[in-house]
Amino acid sequence: MPPQKIIIVGGGPAGTVAAIAAARNGARTLLIESRGCLGGQMTSGLLTILSSFDDMDRRDDRLVEQRLNHSDEKSFVASCVNLPTARRINRGIAEEIVRRLEAARGAIDIGTGCLLVNPETAKRVLEEMVLESGAQIRYFTSLVDATRKGSKITGIVVASKDGAKTLAADQFIDATGDGDLAAFAGVPFEKGRPEDGQMQGVTLVFRLGGVKFFGRSYAHSYEKETQRCNKIFERAWKEKRVSGHYRVGCINAIPGMPGVVSINCQHCWWIDGTKEEDLTKMMITARKEIHEIVQLYRQHLKGFEDCFLLDTAAMPGVRDTRRIKGKYTMTEQDVLQARKFNDSIGKGAWALDVHIPSKVKVKPGEIFMKPGTAYDIPYRCLVPVGVDNLLVAGRCISATHKALGALRLMSHCMVMGQAAGTAAALCVKKACPTRKLDVGLLQKTLKKDGAVV
């Protein structure tokens, strides 16, 4: 393999878009991924709804969903007319991916910022786009260490069926989600809430077949039915007939898969997603709980009388682990006040959606953005302190625990990925450290490539 100019670790939404951006901007780029496909939570994680591509009032999602026809995919799409729209703030490569998915009949974008995605189509489309850009992919390759001299990473140690090897590059991007590369390189980081270090709940998403529903959100579409079943589920937990306090949760259909839905409702609390023992315990517990949930759905939830478990995700839905120390730490005040930054590389408009562990009596996801507003994401949040040739993209960026509740969404990770990939390519061209990159040049390049900054 010829020497690389940029190596990106992690092929989730952030890393995939970073690879496309870096290669399109002229850098020889290698993307390494520990699994056998790209997409991360969108594919291996079975999280098949993308939010949020616009600055719509998210509380209107409920009203939108109740106007749609949920009998089947054709009827659903036909009913997606005259819906409220808002300013689309996530464009560039992310929007290009959406259009490619739509063309392949693997996504439904009804124009309100939340999109349904087919995970198998996404695997193929993302792979094609990375290869078309000129970047290389190495699957089944895991990061195990990094070497550093002074303020520069000199190489990363990876392991595969071929054994362990060291790979060198001029620039590196950590898109692992957990900040693995940054941690191996000695970048300081924080984990969890300031008061006790606890992190957001971890979810194992699963798919059911044989379901009579097609839509973005079952709970929004059938509010009374959802409330009725939540009471039944709570009673089953209090009577110790099930092992968890379950709720109907987030249920969305999958384009091109009649009768199949993706379900994000199960939570494991007090889990550290950087610890193998915790993740093992979580996966075992989650599979047990999912079988209980399916039984409850089949017995009580309208449209699920004949449902059956298709599969559980190959990877856990970890929301929150390491947050690196960057040149700037984004706060919840920055989010809620929709602050603007001179070094903005993209925008977001999602709520402070923090899945608090169950021992703390705070309901998650109830602090919304003011409709029609969006916060800037500063370039400095992607630049770790102390290392000159590393950028981070995705949920390991420099942010407070609460701010990460808004920033961790896949659409935002794509925004960060395009910025990181573009910045790394510019740093290669200019032979400059990431902290000294001309942000004006970065913003100009991002705009040229269709991004909103």
Side-chain angles (χ1 to χ4, degrees):
M1 182 189 301
Q4 303 298 319
K5 290 297 183 180
I6 298 173
I7 294 178
I8 300 163
V9 186
T16 297
V17 173
I20 295 169
R24 285 181 178 178
N25 278 280
R28 191 162 56 248
T29 301
L30 173 65
L31 174 61
I32 67 170
E33 165 56 39
S34 61
R35 294 176 176 82
C37 68
L38 302 179
Q41 290 298 330
M42 191 192 317
T43 54
S44 297
L46 298 181
L47 191 61
T48 57
I49 187 163
L50 290 177
S51 308
S52 160
F53 278 69
D54 64 17
D55 61 3
M56 179 177 168
D57 186 346
R58 297 272 56 103
R59 288 165 291 192
D60 284 346
D61 284 334
R62 185 172 284 100
L63 301 177
V64 168
E65 197 67 29
Q66 290 171 0
R67 291 169 56 179
L68 302 175
N69 186 321
H70 301 100
S71 57
D72 54 51
E73 182 170 351
K74 184 177 180 181
S75 301
F76 177 82
V77 173
S79 66
C80 295
V81 293
N82 300 320
L83 299 176
T85 58
R87 179 180 53 144
R88 182 140 294 196
I89 57 174
N90 191 343
R91 295 190 179 275
I93 295 173
E95 188 170 54
E96 194 178 328
I97 289 170
V98 171
R99 298 296 162 245
R100 289 279 290 262
L101 287 169
E102 282 187 306
R105 300 174 67 94
I108 299 175
D109 179 4
I110 67 173
T112 61
C114 298
L115 300 85
L116 300 175
V117 175
N118 182 306
E120 289 302 319
T121 307
K123 290 177 185 178
R124 179 168 54 86
V125 167
L126 295 175
E127 202 169 67
E128 288 175 350
M129 291 182 67
V130 170
L131 295 175
E132 288 168 6
S133 74
Q136 293 181 291
I137 303 170
R138 288 294 180 271
Y139 288 136
F140 305 110
T141 304
S142 299
L143 175 75
V144 295
D145 205 352
T147 56
R148 174 175 165 176
K149 185 175 182 180
S151 62
K152 293 190 70 175
I153 296 173
T154 55
I156 59 171
V157 182
V158 298
S160 68
K161 292 290 187 179
D162 295 332
K165 66 185 75 172
T166 300
L167 303 175
D170 293 346
Q171 295 286 334
F172 296 87
I173 297 175
D174 185 337
T176 62
D178 298 310
D180 293 337
L181 175 52
F184 284 135
V187 175
F189 60 84
E190 295 179 341
K191 289 196 292 187
R193 295 183 304 213
E195 58 267 33
D196 60 8
Q198 293 302 323
M199 286 161 269
Q200 296 183 58
V202 181
T203 292
L204 189 63
V205 178
F206 59 99
R207 292 190 295 187
L208 296 181
V211 174
K212 301 178 183 68
F213 167 75
F214 194 97
R216 293 181 311 158
S217 169
Y218 185 95
H220 287 168
S221 305
Y222 302 109
E223 280 188 316
K224 291 183 179 179
E225 173 67 6
T226 298
Q227 292 166 3
R228 183 186 69 83
C229 286
N230 281 339
K231 291 178 181 177
I232 293 173
F233 296 176
E234 182 174 13
R235 186 165 61 250
W237 172 63
K238 288 181 176 179
E239 294 173 356
K240 302 187 184 307
R241 289 185 281 115
V242 294
S243 55
H245 184 186
Y246 308 130
R247 300 181 68 80
V248 170
C250 301
I251 302 174
N252 65 268
I254 301 176
M257 294 187 175
V260 177
V261 296
S262 174
I263 301 178
N264 170 7
C265 72
Q266 183 275 336
H267 284 76
C268 286
W269 307 107
W270 313 100
I271 297 294
D272 183 340
T274 65
K275 304 294 184 184
E276 61 188 48
E277 185 176 357
D278 278 17
L279 288 173
T280 301
K281 178 177 70 175
M282 175 265 158
M283 293 294 281
I284 293 170
T285 300
R287 291 192 186 105
K288 175 179 181 291
E289 292 186 347
I290 285 168
H291 280 272
E292 293 182 346
I293 294 168
V294 174
Q295 290 295 327
L296 288 172
Y297 279 15
R298 190 182 295 128
Q299 293 169 11
H300 303 289
L301 195 60
K302 180 181 177 181
F304 287 73
E305 297 84 357
D306 300 315
C307 74
F308 55 90
L309 181 62
L310 272 179
D311 53 5
T312 56
M315 65 183 292
V318 178
R319 294 177 173 88
D320 166 26
T321 54
R322 300 185 188 100
R323 308 184 312 278
I324 64 101
K325 178 64 176 175
K327 303 295 287 184
Y328 180 79
T329 300
M330 194 160 178
T331 70
E332 53 269 33
Q333 288 77 26
D334 294 334
V335 171
L336 294 175
Q337 295 176 20
R339 282 184 180 153
K340 309 305 173 189
F341 295 93
N342 292 333
D343 62 336
S344 171
I345 50 80
K347 298 182 182 297
W350 193 251
L352 292 182
D353 187 4
V354 181
H355 290 236
I356 296 291
S358 56
K359 290 184 180 180
V360 180
K361 295 182 179 179
V362 177
K363 294 182 179 180
E366 291 192 336
I367 306 177
F368 290 89
M369 293 288 298
K370 182 180 178 181
T373 66
Y375 42 84
D376 288 350
I377 302 173
Y379 173 64
R380 287 166 292 161
C381 291
L382 280 58
V383 183
V385 296
V387 183
D388 286 342
N389 62 337
L390 174 66
L391 292 167
V392 299
R395 61 177 173 80
C396 52
I397 69 163
S398 183
T400 64
H401 181 251
K402 289 182 179 178
L404 186 66
L407 296 170
R408 62 182 173 80
L409 270 69
M410 289 187 283
S411 57
H412 299 155
C413 291
M414 293 184 198
V415 168
M416 298 178 227
Q418 182 166 358
T422 304
L426 291 175
C427 287
V428 169
K429 288 179 183 178
K430 302 295 182 181
C432 71
T434 55
R435 58 186 168 81
K436 291 188 176 181
L437 178 64
D438 180 349
V439 176
L441 175 62
L442 171 60
Q443 292 170 328
K444 180 180 178 180
T445 307
L446 288 170
K447 289 178 181 177
K448 174 182 67 70
D449 293 337
V452 176
V453 301

